[in-house]
Each structure stands twice: as structure tokens, then as C-alpha cells.
Amino acid sequence: MNTGHHADDGPAAHDDHDDRDQGDGRDVSGDLGGLDGDAASRLLRLFEGHRLTPVQRRIAHCLAQHAAEAPFLSSIEVAELAGVSQPSVTRFAMALGYSGYPGLRRRFRELGVRPGRERDGAGRNGEDAGPDARASAHAAASRLSDGGAAGWAEGRGEGPGAMLSATAEDSLRPPSRPGASTRPMSEKPVSERPVSERPVSERPVSERPVPGDPEPGLDRATGAGGGYRRAVLAEIENLRALARSLDDPGPVAEAARLLAASRPLPVLGLRAAAAQAAGFAYFAAKVHPDVRPLHEAGSLLADRVEQAAAAGATALLCFALPRYPAELVDALRAARTAGLAVVTVADRRVPSLAGLSHVLLTAGVGTHLVFDTACAPMMLGRVLLEAMCDELPGAQARLEAFEASAAARGVFLID
């Protein structure tokens, strides 16, 4: 598991010195054609496949939003834009496999990302940026720290993502005047844009997306909501991968048999996985006679596992999601020692967990947002519960009894 380097701040001072170099000395005065539409996509692909901490993901998102300027920003400017410390930017570069931020910045330049108009165009970069660019960077960092909470409100088009993406576009807009268009100067009229970039209503009927299919080019969007849309599409792909894996129902069926036969059934989930375990246990209790959620770490956890085994449990279900708590391994060892069969739902095959599991089921988590999204593991848990219903004697009768009781007590507002 790659969780990034947790180096001390020692390299930061050296990195800060190196970060003030003048780069490759390339004259960028002729590269003022505006923002590169593919820049954010190229940077995001560079970051993919790395297990980043929430702080590091925030830095990655900030760089993607400022992709056209990324090769020319110093680590200090990146830190100000992302609202993090400069040593955090250094550790971010190290998590990607570079010795420091200068190496990562050189990689940005190798990707061929062109600068936007915020740079002064005099062939300078790094710390020697023009005053307008520096003011813009400071303004974006200020808006991120001051208005982040309010900006997350749905539909307002604000928040860190919108604020940061607006910074690079503001300099492309002409001064406001009555009746003037608010479209950036570099943006073409709808009739001149490629079909895939036009609003759906402006496209030929034959080029409009089929209902239910993702809109073409959505995963390449770089606007204020582009990052959110990419995150949703990535999560959809995780669900598609899960669907493909279920072509072989054998592992799920085996896990369901083990869990359905256990009385009681302990369901373990620590930290990030606690919500997955609690959701599973909530619904499983409607069809299983004795479900015991376990979410306490430490010595009490081993006690609960041993007590479940003494009460007759024969299996334990574990939800394991990154970043994996160390206590998880201790709990699974306690379960194995107590003679329990372990079924684990994880985002991937983690050796330390796989070695302690009789059945390991996997479903990927989304990593495009600051915090993981776990729609696929949740769906896998529901699929497993569905398979358990087929193995549990009297499952349907229990469901019907609950519905009758809930109706009599007026538990739900709407039947």
C-alpha cells in the first residue's frame, strides 16, 4: 500500500532553495494562446495510481485546477493556493516518487503544459513570476481559506474547486461594461466549438448522447464542476468493474454460506469502514437472528470477538478500507485464533488481510475527491447480503414480521 512518504520537514528547506531556480530557461513569450484544455487531464493521469493522503489530494486537485501554470509555480505558491504548508508540497512530490518538488515540476514541463496568461510572458517562471500572477495566486489562496465552508453549498458554483478554477479564467475576461459578453476572450462561440463541447441542445440530433449514457467528453471537463464530474465517473467505473467481477458468483456464494450459518454474526469495521459495517449490520439484522456490529478498536475488540465465538459464532465479516487501521490485523488474528472463518470486503487484495481471510471480496474505492468514496464496497456488501438471504432459513418470514410490526407501530412516515 502506497500511503505516501511521511518524511520529516528536513528536505523542505533544501527544496525551498532549489524551488527558486529559473527552470529550463525556455522563452514562453510565444506560448500565450490561453489555457491548455488537456493540461488538467494529463496532470490527473500523473497522480493516478498513488495512494495519497487527504492533504496530498488537495494539492493534486489544486495543481489540476491550475494545470496551465503548474510548471511555473514554486512550492510556496502551490502551498498558498492549496492552503497547506510548503513541507506538505515537498512530501506530496516525494509520495509521487520524486526527491522533491523541483523534480515534479520538471515532470510537469515534460508533459508539455503551456502557461496561461497569468504569467507575464517574459520567459520567467518559478519565484520570478510577474506581480499579476503572484497577486492572483495570493487571492486564490485567500479565497480558499476564507470561503471554503460556504462554497460547498450545492448549486452555488463556489467552494475551493470553483474558486481555484475561476482564478485562471478571470484574466481572460474583458472588463465588465453594460451589455458586454461575460464569455472569456479565448472561448469560441457555440457555433465554432467542436460538437462534443457544445451544449446538448445545440448539437445535431445524431450527435446528442443517448439517455442513460455518460455524456461524451465529460471526464475531460476542466470547468468549475469538472473535478466533481470526473469523480462521479470514476466511481461509476468502479461499479462497472464490480459488475464484471460478479460474472463469477462463486466467491460471493461461498462467503454467504459461511456468514449465514454463524450465530451470532460479528460484523467488523474500523474507522473509514465503520459506516460500511454499520450499514450492513443494520439491514442484516432484519433477516439474521443475531448480528453484532464491532467498531471499537483496542483490547475491547479482542474481547468482543472472543465473546462472539463463545456464544456460537463460526464466522466474522470484516470491512477493510484504506487507510487500513493496524488494529484490524490484530482483530482478524483474534478471530482466527478463536476458530472463526473470516470473510473480508476490501478495496483490493492487501497481503496482510488476505492471509488472514478465508474469503476476500474486492471492490475499488474512489480517490478523485479529498476523501475516499466507497460506493462499490457498499454495493458489494448489499450483494453479499442478498446472497445470504438465499442461505438463511426463515429470512423472508422475518422480513414480513418486521414489516407488520413497523406498520402497526407507525415506524415510517410512508409505507
Side-chain angles (χ1 to χ4, degrees), residues 106-315:
R106 283 191 293 272
R107 178 57 181 153
F108 292 161
R109 293 168 183 164
E110 292 170 1
L111 291 174
V113 177
R114 296 183 183 275
R117 292 177 184 258
E118 286 185 310
R119 291 294 167 186
D120 61 7
R124 298 179 299 183
N125 50 48
E127 292 291 354
D128 200 23
D132 292 341
R134 187 180 307 281
S136 177
H138 281 282
S142 176
R143 289 200 297 271
L144 175 63
S145 61
D146 294 342
W152 288 110
E154 183 177 1
R156 292 179 57 185
E158 300 174 2
M163 291 172 182
L164 289 171
S165 63
T167 305
E169 296 177 356
D170 285 344
S171 61
L172 305 181
R173 295 190 176 97
S176 298
R177 63 182 184 275
S181 171
T182 58
R183 188 179 72 238
M185 294 174 64
S186 63
E187 184 178 323
K188 297 179 179 179
V190 171
S191 60
E192 297 179 14
R193 299 182 208 169
V195 171
S196 62
E197 296 180 5
R198 301 179 192 175
V200 174
S201 61
E202 297 290 338
R203 303 177 194 176
V205 175
S206 60
E207 296 291 337
R208 296 179 185 179
V210 177
D213 288 347
E215 186 176 348
L218 204 58
D219 58 336
R220 299 172 65 84
T222 58
Y228 305 146
R229 294 196 291 274
R230 281 191 296 270
V232 172
L233 288 172
E235 197 72 347
I236 290 172
E237 183 52 40
N238 285 336
L239 289 168
R240 286 175 174 159
L242 173 60
R244 292 190 293 269
S245 72
L246 294 175
D247 286 342
D248 177 14
V252 170
E254 180 185 357
R257 285 192 294 270
L258 291 171
L259 299 176
S262 183
R263 305 284 194 284
L265 173 59
V267 180
L268 171 63
L270 300 179
R271 292 186 177 268
Q276 304 295 324
F280 181 95
Y282 172 81
F283 290 109
K286 299 182 184 301
V287 294
H288 191 286
D290 191 354
V291 179
R292 299 188 182 184
L294 304 177
H295 55 81
E296 297 175 313
S299 60
L300 281 177
L301 180 56
D303 292 346
R304 300 289 187 267
V305 171
E306 292 177 356
Q307 290 164 4
T314 57

Side-chain angles (χ1 to χ4, degrees), residues 51-52 54 57 61 227-239 272-273 275-276 320-323 346-348 363-379:
R51 167 55 56 183
L52 303 177
R57 289 184 194 177
H61 297 159
Y228 305 146
R229 294 196 291 274
R230 281 191 296 270
V232 172
L233 288 172
E235 197 72 347
I236 290 172
E237 183 52 40
N238 285 336
L239 289 168
Q276 304 295 324
L321 298 178
R323 302 158 67 184
D347 70 308
R348 59 190 177 89
V365 300
T367 59
H368 282 63
L369 300 177
V370 172
F371 298 104
D372 285 344
T373 50
C375 296
M378 180 188 71
M379 185 66 187

